[in-house]
Amino acid sequence: MSKKTKILLIYTGGTIGMMKDYKSGALKAFDFKKLLKNIPELNQLDCSIHSYSFETPIDSSNINTSHWVLIASTIEKNYDEFDGFVVLHGSDTMSYSASALSYMLENLSKPVIFTGSQLPIGDLRTDAKENLITSIQIAALRDKNKAVIQEVGLYFEYKLYRGNRTTKFNAEHFEAFGSLNYPPLAESGVHLKVYPEYLFRPKKQKSLIVHKKLDNNVAILKLFPGFNEHLLQSVLNTPNIKAVIIETYGSGNAPTEDWLIQNLETAIKKGIHIINVTQCSGGSVIMGQYETSEHLKRLQVINGKDITTEAAITKLMYLIGAGVSEKLFKTVFETSLRGEMN
Ligand code: ASN
């Protein structure tokens, strides 16, 4: 008799496990055991499902770097015993968490699938059951005794995406996530179709390394017409700031005013990393395509290419935490580490 595939569910909170507080009417996280009771279908799956729950499940708006360390450590502790991991997480910050975990788990050879829902699992019209059941099935997929998915994925509304390519783009549709610069890794319909050509495969199979040092002395500054020097200076002069993402227009464009150039130049000279990431959800930064990005190229601003803001900010936390030298930083950031950029 073949051994059953072992899956660990890691419950962090999110709408999937929420209930209405009868006094205020607001949704609040509730106990994991109650959540499991709502899905008797789990018993029909041909795998052995175990679970770990955050002591206090949270709305994902309360996620911080210490929660990412807790998720990574839980995977590390259980890595040899389980064939796959499903992380139940609120959708609001799921793309940030999936991106962070993709960097923290180096040489991953087992699936880590993030999922959640837009409606609580107890709701009649819930999307939670399909998301959870299919995520478990995906985490349990095996081919020639090896996991099919060997990366951090995000499954939502019939699609599995590479986690660090996603962004939450809709607060009410069941189709809440998009991956505009990378195709889905799998789609669920009558059949569960996996697209092998898009799966991440590390060059050599090495053992798992879990990185737990993250530095959150980083910032995101979104440009808008009328954006002024005081705002720029207040961000660049934040105590201990080590890196700032400038969310630019279109293909990486920004105003050409002298004050902007001078302030960025001073910051770069002080050793603050400046990264150009487009505020568009699809497409890439191409510095030098327009006159309005030539100044950034001249200043040696780091090119975020087609990375999402979520994957960029977490990559910064990871690289600074790992102590990447000032000399190498630009080259390392501009290199795809976990398939987060082209
Ligand atoms: N506020 C919720 C959360 O992110 C939203 C959700 O899960 N759909 O925890």
Side-chain angles (χ1 to χ4, degrees), residues 31 49 53 57 87 118 125 127 146 153 214 223 237 256 262 276-277 281 284-285 298-299 313 321 325 335:
D31 200 56
I49 302 165
S53 170
V87 183
Q118 291 284 59
R125 292 174 44 256
D127 53 332
K146 278 198 176 142
L214 297 169
L223 294 185
N237 292 324
T256 49
Q262 274 154 18
N276 185 350
V277 175
S281 347
S284 182
V285 165
R298 227 179 306 117
L299 289 173
I313 195 79
S325 72
T335 306

mmCIF file of all heavy atoms in Angstrom, residues 31 49 53 57 87 118 125 127 146 153 214 223 237 256 262 276-277 281 284-285 298-299 313 321 325 335:
data_model
loop_
_atom_site.group_PDB
_atom_site.id
_atom_site.type_symbol
_atom_site.label_atom_id
_atom_site.label_comp_id
_atom_site.label_asym_id
_atom_site.label_seq_id
_atom_site.Cartn_x
_atom_site.Cartn_y
_atom_site.Cartn_z
ATOM 1 N N ASP A 31 -11.369 30.474 15.987
ATOM 2 C CA ASP A 31 -10.631 29.247 16.226
ATOM 3 C C ASP A 31 -10.524 28.317 15.020
ATOM 4 O O ASP A 31 -11.482 28.107 14.293
ATOM 5 C CB ASP A 31 -11.404 28.537 17.352
ATOM 6 C CG ASP A 31 -10.553 27.533 18.028
ATOM 7 O OD1 ASP A 31 -9.484 27.922 18.512
ATOM 8 O OD2 ASP A 31 -10.965 26.365 18.044
ATOM 9 N N ILE A 49 -3.863 15.026 6.504
ATOM 10 C CA ILE A 49 -3.771 16.466 6.754
ATOM 11 C C ILE A 49 -3.574 16.750 8.239
ATOM 12 O O ILE A 49 -4.356 16.299 9.074
ATOM 13 C CB ILE A 49 -5.044 17.182 6.237
ATOM 14 C CG1 ILE A 49 -5.202 16.894 4.735
ATOM 15 C CG2 ILE A 49 -4.991 18.678 6.484
ATOM 16 C CD1 ILE A 49 -6.573 17.231 4.193
ATOM 17 N N SER A 53 -1.800 26.060 14.097
ATOM 18 C CA SER A 53 -2.489 27.344 14.051
ATOM 19 C C SER A 53 -1.733 28.403 14.852
ATOM 20 O O SER A 53 -1.151 28.094 15.902
ATOM 21 C CB SER A 53 -3.897 27.177 14.635
ATOM 22 O OG SER A 53 -4.500 28.430 14.811
ATOM 23 N N PRO A 57 -5.146 33.824 15.806
ATOM 24 C CA PRO A 57 -5.258 34.095 14.370
ATOM 25 C C PRO A 57 -5.502 35.586 14.120
ATOM 26 O O PRO A 57 -6.175 36.250 14.921
ATOM 27 C CB PRO A 57 -6.463 33.257 13.942
ATOM 28 C CG PRO A 57 -6.636 32.244 15.021
ATOM 29 C CD PRO A 57 -6.175 32.894 16.286
ATOM 30 N N VAL A 87 -0.612 27.405 3.469
ATOM 31 C CA VAL A 87 -0.690 28.487 4.453
ATOM 32 C C VAL A 87 -2.015 29.219 4.265
ATOM 33 O O VAL A 87 -2.262 29.809 3.209
ATOM 34 C CB VAL A 87 0.496 29.471 4.300
ATOM 35 C CG1 VAL A 87 0.436 30.546 5.387
ATOM 36 C CG2 VAL A 87 1.825 28.736 4.328
ATOM 37 N N GLN A 118 -12.421 35.304 0.120
ATOM 38 C CA GLN A 118 -13.070 36.619 0.203
ATOM 39 C C GLN A 118 -14.261 36.567 1.154
ATOM 40 O O GLN A 118 -14.667 37.588 1.692
ATOM 41 C CB GLN A 118 -13.535 37.076 -1.183
ATOM 42 C CG GLN A 118 -12.393 37.426 -2.145
ATOM 43 C CD GLN A 118 -11.745 38.759 -1.843
ATOM 44 O OE1 GLN A 118 -11.225 38.968 -0.744
ATOM 45 N NE2 GLN A 118 -11.754 39.665 -2.800
ATOM 46 N N ARG A 125 -22.233 31.298 0.403
ATOM 47 C CA ARG A 125 -21.655 31.469 -0.928
ATOM 48 C C ARG A 125 -20.121 31.516 -0.880
ATOM 49 O O ARG A 125 -19.467 32.079 -1.756
ATOM 50 C CB ARG A 125 -22.205 32.744 -1.572
ATOM 51 C CG ARG A 125 -23.689 32.650 -1.901
ATOM 52 C CD ARG A 125 -24.259 33.958 -2.409
ATOM 53 N NE ARG A 125 -23.377 34.595 -3.385
ATOM 54 C CZ ARG A 125 -22.597 35.637 -3.143
ATOM 55 N NH1 ARG A 125 -22.604 36.210 -1.964
ATOM 56 N NH2 ARG A 125 -21.842 36.125 -4.076
ATOM 57 N N ASP A 127 -16.127 31.188 -1.035
ATOM 58 C CA ASP A 127 -15.106 30.718 -1.979
ATOM 59 C C ASP A 127 -14.008 29.950 -1.232
ATOM 60 O O ASP A 127 -13.053 29.472 -1.836
ATOM 61 C CB ASP A 127 -14.489 31.911 -2.738
ATOM 62 C CG ASP A 127 -13.962 33.024 -1.805
ATOM 63 O OD1 ASP A 127 -14.494 33.168 -0.685
ATOM 64 O OD2 ASP A 127 -13.034 33.735 -2.204
ATOM 65 N N LYS A 146 8.433 12.871 -6.711
ATOM 66 C CA LYS A 146 8.901 14.227 -6.365
ATOM 67 C C LYS A 146 7.730 15.183 -6.422
ATOM 68 O O LYS A 146 6.789 14.975 -7.196
ATOM 69 C CB LYS A 146 9.939 14.690 -7.383
ATOM 70 C CG LYS A 146 11.316 14.173 -7.108
ATOM 71 C CD LYS A 146 12.327 14.997 -7.863
ATOM 72 C CE LYS A 146 13.727 14.536 -7.505
ATOM 73 N NZ LYS A 146 14.623 14.537 -8.630
ATOM 74 N N GLY A 153 3.688 29.197 -3.920
ATOM 75 C CA GLY A 153 2.612 29.551 -4.838
ATOM 76 C C GLY A 153 1.480 30.251 -4.102
ATOM 77 O O GLY A 153 1.449 30.296 -2.861
ATOM 78 N N LEU A 214 15.329 39.739 8.634
ATOM 79 C CA LEU A 214 14.712 40.677 7.698
ATOM 80 C C LEU A 214 14.908 42.072 8.274
ATOM 81 O O LEU A 214 14.748 42.265 9.480
ATOM 82 C CB LEU A 214 13.214 40.375 7.558
ATOM 83 C CG LEU A 214 12.844 39.007 6.986
ATOM 84 C CD1 LEU A 214 11.358 38.743 7.148
ATOM 85 C CD2 LEU A 214 13.226 38.893 5.520
ATOM 86 N N LEU A 223 4.909 58.105 -6.486
ATOM 87 C CA LEU A 223 4.848 59.412 -7.142
ATOM 88 C C LEU A 223 3.416 59.770 -7.501
ATOM 89 O O LEU A 223 2.606 58.880 -7.765
ATOM 90 C CB LEU A 223 5.661 59.395 -8.437
ATOM 91 C CG LEU A 223 7.171 59.224 -8.359
ATOM 92 C CD1 LEU A 223 7.762 59.362 -9.768
ATOM 93 C CD2 LEU A 223 7.798 60.247 -7.429
ATOM 94 N N ASN A 237 15.177 61.137 4.764
ATOM 95 C CA ASN A 237 15.847 61.446 6.034
ATOM 96 C C ASN A 237 15.279 60.657 7.210
ATOM 97 O O ASN A 237 15.558 60.968 8.366
ATOM 98 C CB ASN A 237 15.763 62.951 6.331
ATOM 99 C CG ASN A 237 16.588 63.746 5.332
ATOM 100 O OD1 ASN A 237 17.653 63.283 4.918
ATOM 101 N ND2 ASN A 237 16.103 64.897 4.917
ATOM 102 N N THR A 256 11.602 65.449 -13.993
ATOM 103 C CA THR A 256 13.040 65.690 -14.231
ATOM 104 C C THR A 256 13.548 66.895 -13.446
ATOM 105 O O THR A 256 14.616 67.418 -13.728
ATOM 106 C CB THR A 256 13.284 65.919 -15.743
ATOM 107 O OG1 THR A 256 12.336 66.896 -16.196
ATOM 108 C CG2 THR A 256 13.100 64.646 -16.541
ATOM 109 N N GLN A 262 18.790 66.030 -7.213
ATOM 110 C CA GLN A 262 19.763 66.332 -6.158
ATOM 111 C C GLN A 262 19.516 65.522 -4.884
ATOM 112 O O GLN A 262 20.436 64.981 -4.285
ATOM 113 C CB GLN A 262 19.745 67.828 -5.838
ATOM 114 C CG GLN A 262 20.667 68.604 -6.771
ATOM 115 C CD GLN A 262 20.233 70.051 -6.931
ATOM 116 O OE1 GLN A 262 19.469 70.574 -6.112
ATOM 117 N NE2 GLN A 262 20.699 70.683 -7.992
ATOM 118 N N ASN A 276 13.781 51.667 -8.632
ATOM 119 C CA ASN A 276 12.730 52.139 -9.526
ATOM 120 C C ASN A 276 11.768 50.989 -9.828
ATOM 121 O O ASN A 276 12.131 50.017 -10.485
ATOM 122 C CB ASN A 276 13.383 52.659 -10.826
ATOM 123 C CG ASN A 276 12.376 53.280 -11.782
ATOM 124 O OD1 ASN A 276 11.166 53.173 -11.596
ATOM 125 N ND2 ASN A 276 12.871 53.921 -12.831
ATOM 126 N N VAL A 277 10.543 51.097 -9.300
ATOM 127 C CA VAL A 277 9.504 50.076 -9.554
ATOM 128 C C VAL A 277 8.293 50.820 -10.125
ATOM 129 O O VAL A 277 7.889 51.859 -9.578
ATOM 130 C CB VAL A 277 9.120 49.340 -8.250
ATOM 131 C CG1 VAL A 277 7.958 48.372 -8.476
ATOM 132 C CG2 VAL A 277 10.314 48.569 -7.681
ATOM 133 N N SER A 281 0.501 47.763 -12.664
ATOM 134 C CA SER A 281 0.556 46.364 -12.208
ATOM 135 C C SER A 281 1.154 45.446 -13.260
ATOM 136 O O SER A 281 1.575 44.339 -12.940
ATOM 137 C CB SER A 281 -0.822 45.826 -11.820
ATOM 138 O OG SER A 281 -1.756 46.814 -11.694
ATOM 139 N N SER A 284 7.064 46.630 -17.499
ATOM 140 C CA SER A 284 8.389 46.695 -16.898
ATOM 141 C C SER A 284 8.972 48.114 -16.913
ATOM 142 O O SER A 284 8.610 48.929 -17.757
ATOM 143 C CB SER A 284 9.310 45.774 -17.696
ATOM 144 O OG SER A 284 10.584 45.747 -17.141
ATOM 145 N N VAL A 285 9.875 48.351 -15.984
ATOM 146 C CA VAL A 285 10.675 49.586 -15.993
ATOM 147 C C VAL A 285 11.707 49.450 -17.107
ATOM 148 O O VAL A 285 12.358 48.408 -17.226
ATOM 149 C CB VAL A 285 11.385 49.751 -14.618
ATOM 150 C CG1 VAL A 285 12.499 50.778 -14.693
ATOM 151 C CG2 VAL A 285 10.374 50.105 -13.540
ATOM 152 N N ARG A 298 21.163 57.617 -15.069
ATOM 153 C CA ARG A 298 22.454 58.287 -14.840
ATOM 154 C C ARG A 298 22.853 58.190 -13.357
ATOM 155 O O ARG A 298 24.009 58.001 -13.021
ATOM 156 C CB ARG A 298 22.346 59.750 -15.251
ATOM 157 C CG ARG A 298 23.499 60.203 -16.114
ATOM 158 C CD ARG A 298 23.390 61.660 -16.543
ATOM 159 N NE ARG A 298 22.137 62.004 -17.204
ATOM 160 C CZ ARG A 298 21.243 62.882 -16.732
ATOM 161 N NH1 ARG A 298 21.459 63.514 -15.592
ATOM 162 N NH2 ARG A 298 20.122 63.139 -17.397
ATOM 163 N N LEU A 299 21.881 58.289 -12.472
ATOM 164 C CA LEU A 299 22.163 58.231 -11.028
ATOM 165 C C LEU A 299 22.438 56.807 -10.546
ATOM 166 O O LEU A 299 22.676 56.575 -9.376
ATOM 167 C CB LEU A 299 20.960 58.785 -10.245
ATOM 168 C CG LEU A 299 20.702 60.280 -10.307
ATOM 169 C CD1 LEU A 299 19.380 60.612 -9.628
ATOM 170 C CD2 LEU A 299 21.840 61.038 -9.645
ATOM 171 N N ILE A 313 9.662 45.113 -2.080
ATOM 172 C CA ILE A 313 9.883 45.569 -0.696
ATOM 173 C C ILE A 313 10.368 44.399 0.173
ATOM 174 O O ILE A 313 11.252 44.557 1.027
ATOM 175 C CB ILE A 313 8.617 46.278 -0.111
ATOM 176 C CG1 ILE A 313 8.961 47.071 1.152
ATOM 177 C CG2 ILE A 313 7.464 45.327 0.191
ATOM 178 C CD1 ILE A 313 9.610 48.380 0.910
ATOM 179 N N GLY A 321 18.772 42.340 5.264
ATOM 180 C CA GLY A 321 18.903 41.433 6.416
ATOM 181 C C GLY A 321 20.056 40.460 6.230
ATOM 182 O O GLY A 321 20.756 40.102 7.177
ATOM 183 N N SER A 325 26.585 43.303 0.468
ATOM 184 C CA SER A 325 27.429 44.503 0.500
ATOM 185 C C SER A 325 26.903 45.595 -0.427
ATOM 186 O O SER A 325 26.194 45.320 -1.394
ATOM 187 C CB SER A 325 28.854 44.148 0.093
ATOM 188 O OG SER A 325 28.870 43.887 -1.298
ATOM 189 N N THR A 335 19.035 40.794 -10.107
ATOM 190 C CA THR A 335 19.061 39.385 -10.516
ATOM 191 C C THR A 335 17.819 38.696 -9.959
ATOM 192 O O THR A 335 17.445 38.915 -8.812
ATOM 193 C CB THR A 335 20.318 38.700 -9.915
ATOM 194 O OG1 THR A 335 21.449 39.461 -10.297
ATOM 195 C CG2 THR A 335 20.464 37.264 -10.397
#
